[in-house]
């Protein structure tokens, strides 16, 4: 059949029409009304598998499935009236297959029919995929351990999974289609409903923990996550009742532990005030910050007359003022003073000879805060010396008792946490499992701290046996034990001990001190490709000194004094684990021998610890 052309208004319009016709993605079919096709573009030919010449021998009714012509006849009257007709049809391809299309038909001004045909195969495939995804999503939600529910704007349950039904103690049929306050009368008066209203109105998210009371008087705890969705609100609910009960049990045990600590603290305060020696604390100017009842009785002043009003040097004789003026600045720098002889003038004018021993307290920047001083009545030295020993033993025994009292609640916490883990078993959520693991880890860490504190307290109560010690052999044995503990680093640690190193000391205490120092060197060189650790000796002002150096992490020297205080750390525990007691133990052992210890370092360039022992001199 000859192609019937139309006369375009211009050459340019003709070119544009031809380009659009030939390159259109949709099929374009032009036919005589009820007759044969007069033109078809390439997309239409590919869609049906015909050549253009073959299609020009066919009519629209030849391509429509016969049964569809009956159920869905061509709307010729509508097109004749100039109305566009959009219809979905099944067309027959040349190979006999059927293709689903959408036809947008209309009558042209010259009376011919124009049909723009769009292949719906891909759209149908995508729609089917979406339906499959929706089905899988619903199946997934149905099997989640958390509750999932969708609430409509009128507060009706549009969807709930099995978990929500169990949490609500209802069936799905008792929930879906009903409003929340129909299922749970009075729910609209709760704070949770107020939150849901706000999220629904403002289209915002929220998270909260809710205590829900059931009709039988029992209660459950739920963690709710609220998200606005096109249908209304999506609520994810996790049952945390067992976790909450566990937390409450732990809180009760913590409260009991706090009461025990408070009682022991009150006992310690009573012991402080009623000790047979004077205790006081001075600020950087010598002003009294604290003083115990014993010292107040000795000096004849009230606490109100002394605290914040009197400086220690104002209570001294002229000679003792000179001693104090010389010693106090050095004390603040060195951190301690032992058995300083001073004469105090009582309020009634009489003189009180004392022996003063003090320890300096610094802040985290190494600045002096205050002294912690013990004052003994020197006129009754022997009697007071005995009483002081008894008092110190009582203090150490008290610390020992406190540590033991702390262990019992810790064991109870760990036992309850283990029982809870066994009870929950495979029902335990990942979050709850992490929390139980954290409890167990923290209890172990606390137990380690308590054990270390017990060891530290025993150091001052242990009798010393002074004897010659071969430091060279002792250090060799310690290094070998240490390398066995870090087999993966053993070939990367270079260590040496000078020949002939020896001293007189308590060998058991000295081994503890050396072990802590060498252990520190090994630990803080962990980040080095090649660790270098040396133990050497030297003489200074007639005294034998020992030096341990390493090329490890080092530290800022202005915080050196903090190293020897319990629980004072210059590096985070996550980087270098430990209890923070080791160097405090070393210092206490050195002090018991009448010696000194000092430290120097630079960040990233290693550290140096030097100590001397005067035991046996």
């Amino acid at each position: 059949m000859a192609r019937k052309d139309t006369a375009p208004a211009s050459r340019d319009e003709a070119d544009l029409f031809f380009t659009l016709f030939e390159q259109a993605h949709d099929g374009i079919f032009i036919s005589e009304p009820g007759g044969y096709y007069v033109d078809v573009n390439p997309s239409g030919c590919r869609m049906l598998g015909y050549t253009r010449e073959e299609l020009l021998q066919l009519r629209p009714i030849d391509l429509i499935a016969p049964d569809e012509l009956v159920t869905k006849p061509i709307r010729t009257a509508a097109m004749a009236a100039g109305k566009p007709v959009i219809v979905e049809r099944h067309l027959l391809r040349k190979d006999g297959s059927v293709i689903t299309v959408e036809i947008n038909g209309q009558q042209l001004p010259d009376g011919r029919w124009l049909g723009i045909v769009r292949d719906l195969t891909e759209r149908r495939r995508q729609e089917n995929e979406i339906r499959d995804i929706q089905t899988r999503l619903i199946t997934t939600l149905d099997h989640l351990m958390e509750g999932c529910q969708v609430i409509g704007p009128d507060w009706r349950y549009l969807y709930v999974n099995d978990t929500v039904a169990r949490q609500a103690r209802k069936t799905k049929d008792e929930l879906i289609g009903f409003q929340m306050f129909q299922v749970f009368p009075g729910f609209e008066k709760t704070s949770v409903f107020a939150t849901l209203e706000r999220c629904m109105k403002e289209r915002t998210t929220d998270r909260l923990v809710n205590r829900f009371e059931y009709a039988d008087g029992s209660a459950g705890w739920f963690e709710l996550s609220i998200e606005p969705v096109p249908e209304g609100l999506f609520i994810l609910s996790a049952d945390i009742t067992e976790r909450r009960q566990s937390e409450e049990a732990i809180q009760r045990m913590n409260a009991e532990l706090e009461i025990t600590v408070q009682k022991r603290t009150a006992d310690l305060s009573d012991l402080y005030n009623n000790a047979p020696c004077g205790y006081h604390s001075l600020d950087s100017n010598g002003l009294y910050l604290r003083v115990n009842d014993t010292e107040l009785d000795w000096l004849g002043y009230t606490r109100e007359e002394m605290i914040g009003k009197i400086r220690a040097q104002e209570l001294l004789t002229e000679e003792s003022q000179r001693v104090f003026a010389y010693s106090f600045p050095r004390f603040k720098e060195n951190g301690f003073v032992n058995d300083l002889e001073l004469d105090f003038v009582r309020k009634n004018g009489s003189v009180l000879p004392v022996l003063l021993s003090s320890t300096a307290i610094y802040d985290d920047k190494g600045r002096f805060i205050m002294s912690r001083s013990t004052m003994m009545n020197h006129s009754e030295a022997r009697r007071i010396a005995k009483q002081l020993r008894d008092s110190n033993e009582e203090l150490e025994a008290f610390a020992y008792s406190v540590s033991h009292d702390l262990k019992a609640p810790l064991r109870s916490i760990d036992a309850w946490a283990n029982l809870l883990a066994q009870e929950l078993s495979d029902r335990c959520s990942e979050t709850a499992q992490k929390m139980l693991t954290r409890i167990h880890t923290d209890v172990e860490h606390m137990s380690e701290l308590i054990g270390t504190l017990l060891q530290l307290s025993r150091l001052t109560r242990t009798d010393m046996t002074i004897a010659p010690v071969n430091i060279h052999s002792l250090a060799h044995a310690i290094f070998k034990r240490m390398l066995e503990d870090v087999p993966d680093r053993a070939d990367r640690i270079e260590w040496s001990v000078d020949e002939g190193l020896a001293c007189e000391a308590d060998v058991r205490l000295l081994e503890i001190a050396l072990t802590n120092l060498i252990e520190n060197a090994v630990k803080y060189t962990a980040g080095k490709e090649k660790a270098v650790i040396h133990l050497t000796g030297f003489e200074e002002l007639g005294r034998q000194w020992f030096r341990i150096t390493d090329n490890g992490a080092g530290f800022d020297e202005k915080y050196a004094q903090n190293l020897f205080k319990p629980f004072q750390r210059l590096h985070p525990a996550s980087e270098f684990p430990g209890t923070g007691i080791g160097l405090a133990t070393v210092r206490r052992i050195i002090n018991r021998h009448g010696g000194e210890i000092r430290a120097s370092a630079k960040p990233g360039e290693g550290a140096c610890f030097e100590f001397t022992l005067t035991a046996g001199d």
Side-chain angles (χ1 to χ4, degrees):
M1 178 178 287
R3 182 175 181 177
K4 184 175 180 180
D5 297 323
T6 58
S10 68
R11 178 76 177 179
D12 289 342
E13 288 181 356
D15 290 343
L16 177 59
F17 174 81
F18 179 78
T19 299
L20 292 175
F21 183 83
E22 292 293 318
Q23 297 183 6
H25 180 71
D26 294 332
I28 300 177
F29 295 76
I30 301 174
S31 68
E32 296 292 350
Y36 291 90
Y37 288 110
V38 297
D39 209 350
V40 183
N41 72 344
S43 291
C45 295
R46 287 192 298 272
M47 189 182 301
L48 297 178
Y50 290 97
T51 64
R52 178 174 177 275
E53 289 70 20
E54 289 171 332
L55 284 172
L56 296 185
Q57 303 299 319
L58 300 174
R59 299 166 298 171
I61 59 174
D62 297 327
L63 299 176
I64 301 173
D67 56 342
E68 195 168 288
L69 282 174
V70 176
T71 59
K72 198 185 297 181
I74 298 175
R75 296 164 62 185
T76 56
M79 288 195 293
K83 296 180 180 180
V85 174
I86 299 176
V87 63
E88 183 176 313
R89 288 194 178 279
H90 295 89
L91 300 184
L92 301 174
R93 302 182 79 251
K94 182 179 178 180
D95 61 7
S97 61
V98 177
I99 182 173
T100 303
V101 299
E102 180 184 80
I103 302 175
N104 189 334
Q106 57 182 320
Q107 185 167 290
L108 297 174
D110 62 4
R112 291 181 296 177
W113 289 353
L114 170 67
I116 298 176
V117 181
R118 175 164 296 174
D119 187 347
L120 297 182
T121 304
E122 180 63 21
R123 183 194 297 180
R124 289 291 180 265
R125 187 188 65 79
Q126 291 176 353
E127 290 174 350
N128 290 334
E129 284 184 355
I130 291 172
R131 279 194 295 271
D132 289 343
I133 291 172
Q134 289 174 336
T135 300
R136 290 196 299 271
L137 178 59
I138 292 297
T139 302
T140 300
L141 292 177
D142 283 342
H143 291 84
L144 281 180
M145 293 181 64
E146 292 81 5
C148 300
Q149 54 189 292
V150 178
I151 308 298
D154 60 351
W155 305 109
R156 294 182 187 277
Y157 289 100
L158 303 181
Y159 167 79
V160 298
N161 67 356
D162 293 337
T163 302
V164 168
R166 286 196 301 271
Q167 291 173 351
R169 299 181 185 176
K170 303 283 186 180
T171 65
K172 285 187 175 182
D173 291 340
E174 291 175 312
L175 295 171
I176 295 175
F178 293 93
Q179 292 179 305
M180 302 179 80
F181 29 80
Q182 288 178 311
V183 180
F184 303 107
F187 182 72
E188 69 275 12
K189 300 176 182 178
T190 64
S191 60
V192 177
F193 184 75
T195 301
L196 295 178
E197 275 192 313
R198 176 176 54 78
C199 292
M200 183 78 81
K201 180 179 179 181
E202 300 176 5
R203 312 308 292 162
T204 57
T205 64
D206 206 340
R207 293 175 63 91
L208 58 94
V209 173
N210 175 47
R211 182 180 183 274
F212 184 81
E213 292 190 6
Y214 295 99
D216 62 4
S218 61
W221 287 90
F222 299 92
E223 191 173 66
L224 306 180
S225 297
I226 307 166
E227 293 280 348
V229 293
E231 294 82 1
L233 291 178
F234 176 78
I235 304 173
L236 189 69
S237 56
D239 189 338
I240 59 170
T241 303
E242 292 180 344
R243 188 183 82 191
R244 191 75 177 199
Q245 291 171 346
S246 175
E247 290 172 351
E248 289 173 352
I250 292 173
Q251 287 172 357
R252 287 194 298 272
M253 285 184 275
N254 285 339
E256 293 171 1
L257 181 62
E258 179 67 22
I259 291 171
T260 301
V261 172
Q262 289 176 357
K263 183 178 182 301
R264 296 299 185 183
T265 301
D267 292 343
L268 186 59
S269 176
D270 179 69
L271 187 61
Y272 172 84
N273 275 311
N274 295 291
C277 59
Y279 288 135
H280 67 252
S281 294
L282 307 177
D283 71 4
S284 59
N285 296 314
L287 193 68
Y288 277 93
L289 300 176
R290 188 174 4 179
V291 61
N292 75 339
D293 293 347
T294 302
E295 189 168 330
L296 290 171
D297 291 341
W298 285 354
L299 297 176
Y301 290 92
T302 64
R303 188 169 276 104
E304 290 73 21
E305 290 175 318
M306 292 187 67
I307 302 302
K309 297 176 182 177
I310 295 179
R311 295 186 301 166
Q313 51 267 50
E314 296 170 1
L315 299 178
L316 300 174
T317 62
E318 185 175 342
E319 175 62 27
S320 290
Q321 286 180 5
R322 287 193 291 271
V323 174
F324 187 88
Y326 174 83
S327 303
F328 194 57
R330 287 162 179 75
F331 158 70
K332 290 189 289 185
E333 180 178 347
N334 296 332
F336 66 93
V337 65
N338 293 320
D339 296 336
L340 184 65
E341 295 189 25
L342 296 172
D343 290 334
F344 277 78
V345 180
R346 294 187 178 98
K347 188 175 182 181
N348 63 11
S350 60
V351 175
L352 172 68
V354 303
L355 281 179
L356 187 70
S357 296
S358 297
T359 301
I361 305 300
Y362 302 92
D363 64 14
D364 56 0
K365 295 183 179 179
R367 295 175 298 198
F368 179 85
I369 299 176
M370 65 178 181
S371 70
R372 185 174 290 162
S373 306
T374 302
M375 193 168 77
M376 294 190 299
N377 186 336
H378 198 36
S379 61
E380 304 176 76
R382 289 186 179 178
R383 184 176 62 84
I384 295 300
K386 182 180 182 304
Q387 291 178 344
L388 181 59
R389 283 195 300 272
D390 294 343
S391 177
N392 283 338
E393 287 179 3
E394 189 175 349
L395 281 170
E396 294 299 333
F398 172 75
Y400 186 84
S401 174
V402 167
S403 298
H404 272 282
D405 286 349
L406 290 174
K407 278 191 171 182
L410 282 176
R411 285 194 296 269
S412 181
I413 290 172
D414 195 35
W416 279 110
N418 286 332
L419 287 174
L420 179 59
Q422 295 173 13
E423 180 66 20
L424 292 179
S425 185
D426 58 345
R427 295 181 290 112
C428 186
S429 68
E430 183 179 355
T431 300
Q433 185 61 51
K434 289 181 179 178
M435 293 176 69
L436 291 170
T437 301
R438 179 64 181 272
I439 291 171
H440 179 70
T441 301
D442 288 349
V443 166
E444 285 188 337
H445 181 61
M446 187 67 175
S447 295
E448 183 183 0
L449 288 177
I450 291 172
T452 309
L453 282 173
L454 285 171
Q455 182 186 30
L456 186 62
S457 71
R458 293 190 190 106
L459 291 177
T460 57
R461 298 188 296 147
T462 303
D463 292 331
M464 293 199 306
T465 302
I466 304 302
V469 179
N470 186 331
I471 291 183
H472 178 269
S473 298
L474 182 61
H476 258 268
I478 294 171
F479 267 115
K480 288 181 179 179
R481 287 201 310 268
M482 210 67 64
L483 294 179
E484 290 175 358
D485 293 337
V486 287
D488 56 325
R489 292 184 55 210
D491 61 343
R492 296 191 290 112
I493 298 178
E494 175 185 318
W495 62 276
S496 66
V497 182
D498 278 2
E499 293 285 342
L501 294 183
C503 69
E504 288 193 348
D506 183 292
V507 64
R508 185 178 55 80
L509 293 180
L510 183 57
E511 182 177 7
I512 293 173
L514 279 176
T515 298
N516 275 289
L517 290 172
I518 293 172
E519 185 177 57
N520 262 19
V522 172
K523 176 168 64 176
Y524 288 101
T525 55
K528 295 293 183 178
E529 182 64 28
K530 187 72 173 178
V532 180
I533 305 169
H534 297 306
L535 172 57
T536 58
F538 64 98
E539 189 170 310
E540 182 180 285
L541 299 177
R543 304 171 73 189
Q544 177 67 37
W545 285 76
F546 304 94
R547 176 188 293 133
I548 294 181
T549 61
D550 64 68
N551 65 336
F555 56 87
D556 192 334
E557 276 193 359
K558 65 182 178 180
Y559 303 125
Q561 285 301 323
N562 289 349
L563 288 170
F564 302 103
K565 300 173 186 176
F567 306 115
Q568 295 292 312
R569 302 176 58 90
L570 302 188
H571 299 279
S574 59
E575 185 178 357
F576 297 104
T579 60
I581 297 294
L583 289 177
T585 300
V586 172
R587 184 175 190 173
R588 184 164 293 190
I589 291 172
I590 300 300
N591 286 347
R592 286 209 67 191
H593 284 79
E596 299 174 41
I597 184 167
R598 59 200 182 197
S600 59
K602 288 185 179 179
E605 296 183 18
C608 172
F609 289 88
E610 298 174 341
F611 66 92
T612 182
L613 299 165
T614 58
D617 291 350

